[in-house]
Amino acid sequence: AENATRNVGVNNDHAGYSGSGFAQGFWNTGDYVTFNVNVASAGNKNVTLRYANGNGSDRTLSVYVNGTRIRQTILPSLGGWGTWSNKTETLSLNAG
């Protein structure tokens, strides 16, 4: 997510992340990270987000595909910011 289009910051102050850092700062309504993907054929595809949630309670994010809100996804609390998990959603994607 640190290389995606986003309006939140990038940080590296929690152990266990991959890449050069992680997107951080989803505090305001409208904060976002946008990923562009290229798929060979249209259809249902599994899309996985790696996340940390040390808030002590579940958090939610809206999932959009091609500008349309598809669903609200839940990111369960993981008990600490150095613990990471994966959240997979099956999304209907267009080819290209």
Side-chain angles (χ1 to χ4, degrees):
E2 69 272 18
N3 296 319
T5 302
R6 58 187 161 64
N7 75 334
V8 296
V10 172
N11 209 329
N12 60 6
D13 63 345
H14 302 304
Y17 65 88
S18 61
S20 61
F22 54 88
Q24 177 185 11
F26 295 90
W27 299 297
N28 300 306
T29 300
D31 285 343
Y32 66 89
V33 173
T34 300
F35 298 92
N36 292 312
V37 298
N38 188 4
V39 296
S41 60
N44 290 335
K45 310 293 181 184
N46 288 334
V47 177
T48 301
L49 172 71
R50 188 164 185 260
Y51 77 95
N53 176 7
N55 281 316
S57 61
D58 295 351
R59 297 293 190 224
T60 62
L61 291 175
S62 296
V63 177
Y64 287 78
V65 175
N66 298 323
T68 300
R69 185 176 178 275
I70 303 301
R71 70 178 60 96
Q72 198 76 3
T73 192
I74 298 171
L75 304 177
S77 176
L78 301 174
W81 291 109
T83 301
W84 296 80
S85 187
N86 293 323
K87 176 66 179 206
T88 300
E89 294 283 346
T90 302
L91 304 175
S92 178
L93 302 178
N94 297 330

